[in-house]
Amino acid sequence: MSSADKTILSVKNVKKHFPIKEGVFQKVVGQVHAVDGVNFDIKEGETVGLVGESGCGKTTIGRCVAGLEALTEGNIYFDLPSDKIALLEDSEKQDDKKVSAEQIEEIGNSYDIGKIEGDLFNHYRRNCQMVFQDSFASLSPRQLVSDIVSRPLRVHNVCPENEVIPRTINLLEQVGLGAQHLYRFPHQFSGGQRQRISIARALALDPKLIVLDEPTSALDVSVQAQILNLLHDLQKKRGLAYLFITHNLSVIRHMADKIVVMYLGKVVEAGNTEDIFANPQHPYTKALLAASPDLQSEVTSGMAALDGAIPDPARPPQGCSFRTRCPVAQPECGWEVDDVVRRLEHKDSIFNFLKEVDQSDAFNAKFTFETEAAANQLMAAMKSDDIPDAMKKMVSKLNCDAEHVTVSFKPAKTVPLIACGNGSSARCVLVNK
Amino acid sequence: MTQDSRTNSIVINGLNDSAFKVRLNRNLEIIQSVLANPTTVIGLVIVILMLMMALLAPVITEPNMPDPYQMPRDWQAARSAPLTPGHVLGTTNRGGDVYYGVVWGARTSLKLSLIVVCLTVVLGVTIGSIAGIVGGKVDEVLMRIVDVFLSIPELIFALAIAAILGPSFTNIILALVVVFWVKYARIMRAQVIRIKQRDYVDAARIMGDSKIQIYLKDILPNSFSPVMVQATLDMGNIVLVGATLSFIGLSEAGIAEWGVLVSEGQAGISAGRWWASTFPGLMVFLWALAFNLVGDGLRDVLDPRTETKR
Ligand SMILES: Nc1ncnc2c1ncn2[C@@H]1O[C@H](COP(=O)(O)OP(=O)(O)O)[C@@H](O)[C@H]1O
Ligand SMILES: [Mg+2]
């Protein structure tokens, strides 16, 4: 068991922001916070499941791990020896000055996939591969299966030329295909077979880790099960580690040893699969479980399924980002001026007359209306049932002066991931309360 | 060598054979669907006839020595009507044999269009690829240049350049190259930007292939279809524009070129000698039409998403 405990991938505070460009001059007008400070580890031979609704940044993390994206912030380390892991953990404790900046830099230069070069990077390339969601788009339509699957062997000169084709046949056999499929084009296969070809290509370099980005989401249910079983068998035979990305909770329960639940680019809950399914801590996880009909348990059966839209990832909410859809939101979740807009934007009688918003920060703003009546309506709405009680409690100032309305909230801190026993953690103010 | 490895190599040879067959089959399938369209077939038949005429010119006429691209002059038989013995399609008022001009004009047109298409495709694909791959400021500058070029009508632009360079066949080639490369640059840039986001390009990056290999193996082959379609259309357009420039007098007088012949025969039209202009004019029309029909047919098969031009 000790060798299986070796950490092969450490994702540390990874952020990936995409600039939003507008206009003729492509001016950067904002940043999509696709991934916003994510941490997790993958151990040798284990499956880490990454779940969350579409748009929460799962694919972006997968691409970062595969080395396709330059990180905005943070580090991804591959194959860190345990003493180096300890060193990094020491350095994260701010009061501990025992670890020098040079030591950290040295670790980065030999293990950080964004910094390593040459042979070290090649070593990483051979050890981390990816299988994409869209089996059609992931295979070049002009290449034969033989070219596609043998390509990694040729790129890395894994074997002499006369062994390439026998090895390619062997790879195809490992995924349930065979020599008779070598000389065909991808479009001559079914979706499930194409995904097998992708898997064969990913196996060619004998990697330790494969990123699987929704590998079965585009397939029929019966085919899905076959591919999942194949992945399971390959993992057992080869000791592969998977980063398994999906929005399907029953798939993740079947496949993953550990689960990382994401919401709006952040991890909201992480832990062992059984623990999370038996005892979800975060309201988002509970809602996700409630939304999967085949997975309802006593814990979640009373919980309403998720409603409302995901907030714009270019302007993620302060405090707890799930607050805007949370059925059990608390005062300390971090309410802000944007929540006023989110809650009341359907009220045309108010917002059709809005002239100007003078917002000094996320928590203070002055709304100016064209008419006094609209200003009064906003005042009334702020006191009505449209605004949850938890939010009302955090309003520190609410003034109406003719057509101006001033709104202020008590500032709130971001919610950290809190350990909740048995190794899981959740990002919610209710944990351990 | 063991029994095993020998069997393997036999298997490999057999399979490589089938790799060839599979590729051939796919190409045949494409050709089959191109031929399913009757208008394309009509275009293709005319194209083939034109090409045969161009290639067999020295066989079906006696080449005019020393330079067969110059019209032979038979001053005694000047202004003869078609079906005159020795001059099937008649002669011009300067004794040029119209039949010779029609046949060698095809050869001149093939030479012109092939040279121009090859140069413009190489130039346009290179510049478009650089813009699409490098992006940023480089892309912006290159595409502004392309926009400026595209904003001027083809014929007027070519005319202006050819006029500045002075009348000669080489200058017509130069003028046409300057005018015709921009479309390839724009097509290629759009294609490269589309294709480089494909998952198979990411897969190649993840397996660690080099940028050049990814360009050559993934991006270029998967971007090329619309370039091929445009090149086929341009085989026709170039001859049309080239003939127009020649007609205006920007080429060399006396060469066997359809535009030159039309202009040479023009003076006789009012006197009823229609043949000297009509036959070469008809050839230009048929050539341009045929390549456009084939190009449209190719587009329907290779690139079904783009709608037909205008
Ligand atoms: N290349 C990109 N440029 C700009 N925005 C992007 C890019 N890739 C992803 N995004 C944005 O980042 C967010 C997360 O996307 P993604 O990682 O694909 O989510 P998921 O895989 O969970 O559905 C989305 O809002 C998406 O629009
Ligand atoms: Mg995704």
Side-chain angles (χ1 to χ4, degrees):
Chain A
M1 200 61 205
S2 66
S3 77
D5 276 349
K6 186 181 175 339
T7 300
I8 58 166
L9 192 88
S10 318
V11 173
K12 299 254 181 232
N13 188 33
V14 164
K15 294 189 182 174
K16 178 68 196 176
H17 297 174
F18 294 106
I20 307 167
K21 293 175 181 164
E22 242 173 43
V24 202
F25 297 105
Q26 293 288 290
K27 219 178 88 183
V28 176
V29 293
Q31 302 280 337
V32 177
H33 298 226
V35 176
D36 216 11
V38 166
N39 290 283
F40 62 85
D41 291 338
I42 302 179
K43 297 208 167 86
E44 211 156 62
E46 84 175 347
T47 301
V48 171
L50 204 55
V51 276
E53 286 165 294
S54 130
C56 69
K58 306 182 297 292
T59 296
T60 307
I61 292 197
R63 292 174 59 86
C64 289
V65 168
L68 289 173
E69 306 276 356
L71 305 185
T72 307
E73 225 184 286
N75 310 83
I76 297 174
Y77 298 102
F78 181 70
D79 233 352
L80 263 185
S82 45
D83 56 319
K84 301 281 186 340
I85 296 178
L87 216 70
L88 280 180
E89 271 162 10
D90 281 350
S91 78
E92 276 157 26
K93 294 174 199 141
Q94 277 144 344
D95 51 337
D96 196 335
K97 291 273 183 286
K98 271 185 288 183
V99 189
S100 69
E102 288 91 68
Q103 273 173 306
I104 302 284
E105 174 136 0
E106 209 183 291
I107 293 176
N109 287 339
S110 21
Y111 299 99
D112 183 337
I113 64 159
K115 288 191 189 139
I116 52 176
E117 289 167 351
D119 285 349
L120 281 174
F121 191 63
N122 260 340
H123 172 73
Y124 178 66
R125 280 286 182 233
R126 292 182 65 153
N127 275 296
C128 175
Q129 292 292 306
M130 182 159 174
V131 173
F132 298 87
Q133 173 171 10
D134 182 348
S135 65
F136 217 39
S138 57
L139 304 173
S140 170
R142 275 165 207 278
Q143 285 171 13
L144 295 169
V145 172
S146 60
D147 298 330
I148 293 171
V149 178
S150 67
R151 187 163 171 190
L153 301 173
R154 293 206 164 98
V155 169
H156 289 268
N157 278 322
V158 172
C159 56
E161 186 59 34
N162 65 341
E163 278 173 31
V164 168
I165 291 300
R167 280 184 82 140
T168 308
I169 295 172
N170 181 271
L171 285 164
L172 287 174
E173 281 164 354
Q174 289 191 45
V175 297
L177 299 170
Q180 71 275 22
H181 298 110
L182 268 179
Y183 300 110
R184 293 203 199 157
F185 286 103
H187 69 88
Q188 296 169 309
F189 292 90
S190 68
Q193 285 176 316
R194 276 200 298 271
Q195 213 53 307
R196 286 171 192 267
I197 296 167
S198 283
I199 294 169
R201 170 175 63 189
L203 292 176
L205 294 172
D206 206 5
K208 286 188 183 161
L209 170 68
I210 301 183
V211 178
L212 303 161
D213 185 7
E214 315 238 11
T216 60
S217 300
L219 305 175
D220 294 341
V221 180
S222 58
V223 184
Q224 248 186 47
Q226 292 168 11
I227 299 287
L228 292 177
N229 287 336
L230 171 69
L231 289 170
H232 224 279
D233 293 347
L234 287 169
Q235 178 167 47
K236 253 192 258 159
K237 255 185 250 162
R238 296 170 152 250
L240 285 164
Y242 291 146
L243 174 58
F244 197 106
I245 297 170
T246 182
H247 62 265
N248 186 326
L249 286 165
S250 23
V251 167
I252 213 79
R253 182 179 214 173
H254 179 65
M255 294 297 294
D257 303 306
K258 285 195 306 197
I259 295 184
V260 175
V261 184
M262 282 185 70
Y263 185 75
L264 268 186
K266 290 199 166 85
V267 176
V268 292
E269 185 160 3
N272 292 327
T273 307
E274 300 107 67
D275 295 335
I276 288 193
F277 275 89
N279 189 16
Q281 295 293 316
H282 198 284
Y284 179 62
T285 317
K286 291 179 189 169
L288 277 185
L289 289 172
S292 335
D294 48 332
L295 285 170
Q296 275 181 9
S297 61
E298 305 89 66
V299 188
T300 57
S301 51
M303 188 110 189
L306 276 175
D307 55 64
I310 305 176
D312 180 2
R315 293 192 70 179
Q318 308 277 318
C320 172
S321 49
F322 185 56
R323 170 192 78 228
T324 60
R325 299 162 79 194
C326 185
V328 291
Q330 301 294 307
E332 58 268 48
C333 289
W335 301 91
E336 58 184 333
V337 174
D338 280 358
D339 286 301
V340 177
V341 182
R342 283 190 196 106
R343 294 276 165 178
L344 300 176
E345 63 189 348
H346 58 280
K347 296 219 176 255
D348 290 346
S349 59
I350 301 175
F351 279 91
N352 282 353
F353 297 100
L354 185 64
K355 216 159 74 182
E356 194 186 348
V357 182
D358 177 11
Q359 194 169 359
S360 57
D361 61 32
F363 303 104
N364 300 288
K366 189 164 146 193
F367 293 83
T368 306
F369 291 93
E370 278 157 20
T371 62
E372 235 171 276
N376 288 329
Q377 284 218 26
L378 175 61
M379 289 298 288
M382 285 295 290
K383 287 168 189 155
S384 74
D385 287 345
D386 285 330
I387 302 294
D389 285 338
M391 181 170 157
K392 279 183 201 151
K393 278 189 191 142
M394 292 302 278
V395 176
S396 61
K397 200 166 119 197
L398 182 62
N399 268 342
C400 185
D401 171 20
E403 51 270 357
H404 307 289
V405 178
T406 316
V407 183
S408 292
F409 286 89
K410 293 177 208 154
K413 289 193 207 96
T414 50
V415 186
L417 265 177
I418 304 162
C420 37
N422 62 37
S424 12
S425 51
R427 192 188 293 276
C428 181
V429 294
L430 291 172
V431 170
N432 296 343
K433 265 199 180 164
Chain B
M1 199 163 264
T2 64
Q3 178 79 34
D4 253 336
S5 67
R6 234 179 303 135
T7 359
N8 265 344
S9 76
I10 292 164
V11 169
I12 292 161
N13 286 339
L15 289 171
N16 269 333
D17 216 24
S18 61
F20 175 75
K21 259 187 238 155
V22 169
R23 286 188 189 282
L24 188 72
N25 261 343
R26 181 173 155 112
N27 289 335
L28 287 179
E29 264 167 41
I30 292 174
I31 291 171
Q32 219 165 37
S33 40
V34 170
L35 294 183
N37 182 346
T39 40
T40 314
V41 174
I42 294 173
L44 201 60
V45 168
I46 304 176
V47 164
I48 290 172
L49 290 176
M50 292 280 183
L51 294 184
M52 276 170 58
M53 195 174 355
L55 296 173
L56 297 178
V59 180
I60 52 184
T61 64
E62 187 176 326
N64 181 26
M65 284 308 163
D67 180 2
Y69 287 99
Q70 289 289 328
M71 287 292 285
R73 299 286 170 200
D74 180 0
W75 291 101
Q76 269 97 45
R79 306 181 185 186
S80 12
L83 300 181
T84 314
H87 302 290
V88 201
L89 298 180
T91 58
T92 67
N93 53 359
R94 288 196 269 149
D97 180 37
V98 176
Y99 174 69
Y100 190 94
V102 162
V103 172
W104 281 83
R107 207 173 163 94
T108 310
S109 298
L110 182 63
K111 198 168 86 175
L112 175 77
S113 50
L114 268 187
I115 293 176
V116 175
V117 163
C118 288
L119 290 177
T120 49
V121 164
V122 170
L123 194 66
V125 164
T126 308
I127 290 179
S129 299
I130 291 173
I133 289 171
V134 179
K137 286 274 176 298
V138 175
D139 178 29
E140 218 157 284
V141 170
L142 289 175
M143 283 308 113
R144 282 301 92 80
I145 296 171
V146 165
D147 284 345
V148 170
F149 274 59
L150 279 176
S151 64
I152 312 169
E154 258 166 32
L155 182 61
I156 295 174
F157 193 17
L159 202 146
I161 294 170
I164 293 167
L165 294 173
S168 90
F169 188 66
T170 320
N171 287 345
I172 287 192
I173 292 181
L174 276 178
L176 291 174
V177 170
V178 172
V179 173
F180 277 87
W181 69 272
V182 276
K183 268 196 218 137
Y184 299 103
R186 168 169 281 190
I187 292 172
M188 197 59 192
R189 169 185 177 268
Q191 283 292 91
V192 166
I193 288 174
R194 236 185 60 196
I195 301 296
K196 76 175 181 183
Q197 300 170 352
R198 289 279 196 278
D199 289 344
Y200 55 78
V201 172
D202 286 332
R205 285 171 65 198
I206 292 174
M207 73 178 74
D209 215 347
S210 68
K211 283 184 179 153
I212 295 171
Q213 287 297 321
I214 291 175
Y215 176 72
L216 292 177
K217 281 192 199 148
D218 299 295
I219 297 180
L220 193 60
N222 286 302
S223 308
F224 209 69
S225 300
V227 172
M228 231 163 74
V229 171
Q230 187 62 43
T232 311
L233 296 171
D234 278 351
M235 283 295 289
N237 300 340
I238 284 163
V239 167
L240 191 62
V241 176
T244 311
L245 298 184
S246 302
F247 174 79
I248 295 169
L250 292 170
S251 189
E252 289 146 40
I255 63 170
E257 201 277 341
W258 294 332
V260 173
L261 262 137
V262 173
S263 116
E264 194 174 313
Q266 186 197 17
I269 290 180
S270 51
R273 296 193 301 275
W274 51 270
W275 53 86
S277 287
T278 307
F279 291 118
L282 199 64
M283 292 304 284
V284 174
F285 169 75
L286 282 177
W287 179 287
L289 177 76
F291 277 101
N292 273 283
L293 290 180
V294 175
D296 279 339
L298 275 184
R299 163 157 43 212
D300 291 342
V301 172
L302 295 180
D303 197 19
R305 269 156 306 167
T306 18
E307 48 224 289
T308 331
K309 209 164 130 196
R310 254 147 285 169

